[in-house]
Amino acid sequence: MSLAAETNESLAQMSNTLIYSSMAVYTLAFLAHIAEWVFGSRSKVGRTAAALTVDTPAPAVSVQVRQAGGTAVLDKPKVVTRSGAGVRDVPDGPGAAGGTVKGDLYGRIAVSLTTLAFLVEAGGVIARAIAVQRAPWGNMYEFSTTFSTVAVGVYLAFLLAKKNVRWIGLPLVTTVLLDLGVATTVLYTESDQLVPALDSYWMWIHVSTAIFCGSVLYLGAVGTLLYLFRDSYENKLANGGKPGAFARSVLERLPSAATLDKFAYRVNAATFPLWTFTIIAGAIWAGDAWGRYWGWDAKEVWAFITWVGYAAYLHARATAGWKGRKAAYIALIAFGCFLFNYYGVNIFVTSKHSYAGV
């Protein structure tokens, strides 16, 4: 074996070691997030912060006309407030830590561990790229490890920008552990060179944007799912119902339904143009590789279905009667199409994009 081959093999082994090491650190972060939620549940602030208040609706303007001699005179408009049926103004919850010092401490530890795990995993992805001397997403194993790395990176970027998104931490770390568990046990593939169709600079453009889009859309899906739970919780309180102890302990510490809905919408709306570019870049790459821009291959079809799903979601958000829960359901269906496009098409469907490596 040549020196170069031995070096590449050593780098591949280092990559595997770093990926497994990141899983160990992510597990510690998961436990720290659990501790954050457990200690936060003991906070009285957390049990009262989501109390519903009646919103003061937009004021109506009342204008009175009086007669001054033979001339009609308009008095200065008076503001008249009217009650708005079903209108709520719900404050954001205090967060997973519930306002407790101990819960916040564990939350900060969890974020620190997540950052360390992200750096270790990113090192594993880079080592894999150096070992194979190409972009490290030529099969599902490489795609999965890169996907989870980017998802955590986007989450940490939100935190660095002082956004209130620490509530994503627990579901994100849980998903990352599941993703890496499947990648290392089911999807693992030895480092190898690309098939001829993938050996193109378009891989860096098309696949990298697809990974980034999927990672951000995942965060939007988490926000959408939590919005549905929180909205049901707020509706039950508004109608005089009494949610269970678990719902009161967990859901009231999340941001309000309106905040979660706004977060999901902004994330999905910002990512949609980039997903559009991803499809266009894929079509251009297909033209170079196979001599046609669009061939109704399964991967192409489901990428387009995903695009239609998110287009329908954005349209629903702007349509009266479809805002809120109906639009949220469409967003989750669209993300489900993205997941099927990744797992289902790659594993169960024979197509030109069958590069699962399993």
Side-chain angles (χ1 to χ4, degrees):
M1 182 181 295
S2 65
L3 179 61
E6 290 180 357
T7 302
N8 291 339
E9 184 177 352
S10 298
L11 286 171
Q13 293 175 354
M14 179 188 297
S15 172
N16 296 339
T17 301
L18 289 173
I19 294 299
Y20 280 109
S21 298
S22 71
M23 293 177 65
V25 183
Y26 278 128
T27 301
L28 295 177
F30 170 80
L31 295 175
H33 272 301
I34 291 293
E36 177 187 19
W37 281 93
V38 169
F39 284 104
S41 67
R42 302 176 182 179
S43 170
K44 291 183 180 180
V45 176
R47 289 193 291 270
T48 59
L52 295 175
T53 60
V54 178
D55 181 46
T56 301
V61 177
S62 175
V63 179
Q64 294 182 349
V65 180
R66 59 183 174 83
Q67 294 291 331
T71 305
V73 179
L74 295 178
D75 284 342
K76 183 179 180 180
K78 298 179 180 179
V79 176
V80 180
T81 59
R82 300 170 183 168
S83 60
V87 178
R88 300 195 308 270
D89 182 15
V90 182
D92 290 336
T100 63
V101 175
K102 201 163 189 178
D104 183 64
L105 174 62
Y106 278 107
R108 292 177 183 274
I109 292 174
V111 172
S112 299
L113 289 170
T114 302
T115 303
L116 176 59
F118 162 75
L119 294 175
V120 174
E121 185 183 10
V125 172
I126 294 172
R128 177 84 173 197
I130 298 174
V132 296
Q133 299 180 358
R134 56 171 173 76
W137 42 74
N139 50 62
M140 286 189 69
Y141 168 75
E142 296 175 353
F143 190 102
S144 295
T145 53
T146 307
F147 176 88
S148 57
T149 303
V150 174
V152 176
V154 173
Y155 164 69
L156 294 176
F158 275 123
L159 290 178
L160 193 62
K162 306 299 183 183
K163 301 298 182 181
N164 180 24
V165 295
R166 205 162 83 183
W167 45 271
I168 299 180
L170 181 57
L172 173 64
V173 172
T174 304
T175 304
V176 168
L177 283 171
L178 292 173
D179 174 72
L180 292 179
V182 172
T184 55
T185 58
V186 179
L187 304 178
Y188 180 75
T189 305
E190 294 290 342
S191 58
D192 199 359
Q193 294 306 308
L194 296 173
V195 296
L198 287 180
D199 191 10
S200 169
Y201 65 90
W202 278 104
M203 182 178 185
W204 291 93
I205 301 173
H206 172 66
V207 183
S208 63
T209 53
I211 291 173
F212 180 80
C213 287
S215 301
V216 180
L217 291 175
Y218 161 77
L219 298 181
V222 172
T224 300
L225 186 62
L226 293 180
Y227 156 73
L228 291 172
F229 286 118
R230 172 77 188 203
D231 185 61
S232 297
Y233 171 78
E234 292 178 6
N235 283 335
K236 179 172 274 190
L237 287 178
N239 294 325
K242 294 183 178 180
F246 179 80
R248 290 198 307 272
S249 174
V250 175
L251 295 179
E252 70 184 3
R253 283 181 279 160
L254 291 174
S256 67
T259 299
L260 290 169
D261 186 42
K262 184 184 298 183
F263 169 80
Y265 170 70
R266 288 178 175 177
V267 165
N268 291 330
T271 310
F272 181 74
L274 192 58
W275 182 250
T276 304
F277 169 78
T278 301
I279 296 177
I280 295 173
I284 297 174
W285 186 10
D288 287 345
W290 301 314
R292 87 303 185 270
Y293 294 102
W294 193 268
W296 297 103
D297 185 70
K299 178 73 70 172
E300 297 168 350
V301 171
W302 278 97
F304 179 68
I305 291 174
T306 302
W307 184 90
V308 171
Y310 279 105
Y313 163 73
L314 295 177
H315 179 71
R317 287 280 313 204
T319 304
W322 280 88
K323 295 179 180 180
R325 298 184 68 87
K326 291 181 180 179
Y329 291 137
I330 296 176
L332 291 180
I333 292 173
F335 185 70
C337 292
F338 174 86
L339 290 180
F340 180 80
N341 188 33
Y342 174 50
Y343 287 103
V345 172
N346 283 349
I347 296 176
F348 303 112
V349 180
T350 300
S351 72
K352 286 182 175 292
H353 292 80
S354 297
Y355 306 124
V358 294

